[in-house]
């Protein structure tokens, strides 16, 4: 097999529509038998008990009588979802009418819209990943001997071509760190084909994501990810070249599989937005509300009822004037959505998707440097979270999110461009161990239209500034110069707050 050079870090996701001859639907069922037994591992059951979460009807199998009735109608389910109490299936128009008439069918939800992912390779040097490791203080975990040992991570992605031969992932395969794989695109495909068959260039995507979670190249002495001793379950849910929203059921099936195994951290660097065949069925920006798409409903259920920390890339639509905001499932309140920053000044890099202004909660949650997509910033934070879980295995998913947010450099003065900013390992590790941390934030109330902020001891020539219309919503971000030991701020129209980002300190200007 041809040897793969890992870390091309050049996958750019775009959306477009293509025709699909068949129609795919979720068939939502009305109820379940209460006597069913959950198909969960002992590890999952132990996790639920330790987290104080109960086994409920979303863990019970579907009604076998309903499944038999569908089979009698000639319906062959593709996936069964315990969480959604639904099956996915390809239906002809005649079958669709038959199914609608069945008394136990609650509704049909179409899944036949198409998405295209365009993959472009870039010749990127390995040194471009080094800045994010210093930005998040990777050396703090290293000095503490923390590398996600005994932590299991699930990855849901488009493909893992060449992962087993990549130098940056060699250490994982040498210790049998891949516990199981599942291919929802080509079910039953052999392990050799899972890693060795290249259908599209997007099949590199999961390999790159894994490297950003746990990559380490001892020959070059370069660390790409934090969770170098984690173990993995890998799911392939998307066919990279010609994606369709119908593959959301693959994603839900993968989530339920990982939950059944007791996996508590899942990285998914995939998102769904626009570009469907029928424009009437496109997602609209207003639907990135955390509860419209089935994939966001499943992600929220995973967070609330299964205790899973779902870490999601925010999306790469920041430069797309017709969209700009995050994609689903990053819109779900319970997931940790990760955006991307620039390198030297930690403000939003242009492509990184913005949190919708209409959401009552902050998105993205946090951000970190990534030159080639939030698909690679999310796995960096996945490794970060896995290290915290090693430090304190008793932390719940919600406690982990809180610690990661509170450790970030802008906290508590976040915004819908980069969330609470870049997580800092020193602060996060202290909080994970129950230790107190000194505040790095302060606020100043000022009046008038200008304010001169003294910064005599600030060493950098430029400062990142966020002009905001309220507590979270950004009007404009800019890099400003410190002159004569001061930063002169001029209040814009509708500006209520200004966040001054000094990296090691954040100052919130509140205009009176």
């Amino acid at each position: 097999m041809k040897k793969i050079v890992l870390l091309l870090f050049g996958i750019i996701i775009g959306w477009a529509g293509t025709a699909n001859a068949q129609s795919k639907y979720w068939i939502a069922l009305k109820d379940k038998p209460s006597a069913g037994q959950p198909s969960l591992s002992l590890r999952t059951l132990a996790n639920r008990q330790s987290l104080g979460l109960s086994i409920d009807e979303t863990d019970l199998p579907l009604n076998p009588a309903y499944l038999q009735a569908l089979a009698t109608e000639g319906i062959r389910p593709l996936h069964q979802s315990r969480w959604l109490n639904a099956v996915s299936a390809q239906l002809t128009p005649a079958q669709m009418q038959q199914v609608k008439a069945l008394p136990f069918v609650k509704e049909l939800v179409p899944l036949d819209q198409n998405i295209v992912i365009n993959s472009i390779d870039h010749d990127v040097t390995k040194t471009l990943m080094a800045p994010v490791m210093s930005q998040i203080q990777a050396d703090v975990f290293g000095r503490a001997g923390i590398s996600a040992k005994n932590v299991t991570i699930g990855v849901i992605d488009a493909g893992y071509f060449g992962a087993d031969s990549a130098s940056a992932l060699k250490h994982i395969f040498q210790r049998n760190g891949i516990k199981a794989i599942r291919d929802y695109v080509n079910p039953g495909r052999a392990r050799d084909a899972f890693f060795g068959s290249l259908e599209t260039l997007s099949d590199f995507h999961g390999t790159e994501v894994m490297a950003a979670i746990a990559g380490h190249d001892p020959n070059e002495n370069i660390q790409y990810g934090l969770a170098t001793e984690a173990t993995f379950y890998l799911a392939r849910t998307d066919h990279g070249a010609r994606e369709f929203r119908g593959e959301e059921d693959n994603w839900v099936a993968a989530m339920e599989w990982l939950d059944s195994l007791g996996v508590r951290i899942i990285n998914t660097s995939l998102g769904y937005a626009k570009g469907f065949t029928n424009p009437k069925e496109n997602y609209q920006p207003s639907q990135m509300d955390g509860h419209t798409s089935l994939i966001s409903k499943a992600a929220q259920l995973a967070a609330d009822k299964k205790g899973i920390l779902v870490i999601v890339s925010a999306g790469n639509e920041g430069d797309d004037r017709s969209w700009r905001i995050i994609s689903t499932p990053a819109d779900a309140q319970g997931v940790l959505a990760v955006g991307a920053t620039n390198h030297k000044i930690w403000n939003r890099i242009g492509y990184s998707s913005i949190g919708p202004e209409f959401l009552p909660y902050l998105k993205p949650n946090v951000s970190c440097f990534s030159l080639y997509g939030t698909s690679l910033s999310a796995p960096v934070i996945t490794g970060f979270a896995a290290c915290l879980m090693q430090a304190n295995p008793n932390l719940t998913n919600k406690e982990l999110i809180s610690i990661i947010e509170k450790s970030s450099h802008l906290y508590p003065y976040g915004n819908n461009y980069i969330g609470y900013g870049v997580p800092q390992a020193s602060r996060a590790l202290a909080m994970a161990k129950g230790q107190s941390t000194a505040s790095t934030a302060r606020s100043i109330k000022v009046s008038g239209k200008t304010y001169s902020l003294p910064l005599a001891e600030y060493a950098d020539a430029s400062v990142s500034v966020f002009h905001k219309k309220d507590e979270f919503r950004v009007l404009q971000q800019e890099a400003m110069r410190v002159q004569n030991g001061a930063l002169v701020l001029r209040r814009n129209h509708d500006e209520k707050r200004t966040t001054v980002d000094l990296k090691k300190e954040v100052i919130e200007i509140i205009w009176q």
Side-chain angles (χ1 to χ4, degrees), residues 23 56 60 85 152 194 231 244 261 277 279 291 319 335 501-502:
S23 296
D56 62 20
L60 300 179
N85 192 24
T152 302
F194 186 86
T231 56
F244 55 97
L261 298 170
T277 304
H291 57 78
D319 284 330
V335 310
D501 172 14
L502 305 178

Side-chain angles (χ1 to χ4, degrees), residues 66-87:
Y66 296 167
L67 298 178
Q68 180 58 49
L70 289 172
T72 301
E73 297 288 340
I75 308 303
R76 300 179 60 185
L78 300 171
H79 293 296
Q80 299 180 25
S81 172
R82 301 186 308 275
W83 293 3
L84 303 177
N85 192 24
V87 299

Side-chain angles (χ1 to χ4, degrees), residues 5 28 34 53 68 90 101 110 142 199 209 216 236 238 309 313 339 351 385 396 429 458 481:
V5 179
S34 58
L53 298 172
Q68 180 58 49
Q90 298 280 2
E199 295 180 340
V209 164
H216 177 253
R236 181 179 183 235
D238 283 48
L309 174 56
S313 53
Y351 67 77
T396 68
L429 187 56
Y458 187 69
R481 295 189 65 82

Side-chain angles (χ1 to χ4, degrees), residues 99-130:
V99 170
K100 279 184 176 181
L102 294 172
F104 56 82
V105 172
K106 183 179 180 180
E107 64 176 334
L108 291 183
V109 180
L111 287 170
D112 62 338
Q113 300 91 337
N114 289 340
I115 295 173
V116 171
I117 292 182
N118 299 314
S119 302
I120 302 174
D121 290 336
H122 292 271
D123 182 15
V124 181
T125 62
K126 295 180 179 181
T127 56
L128 288 179
M129 276 307 290

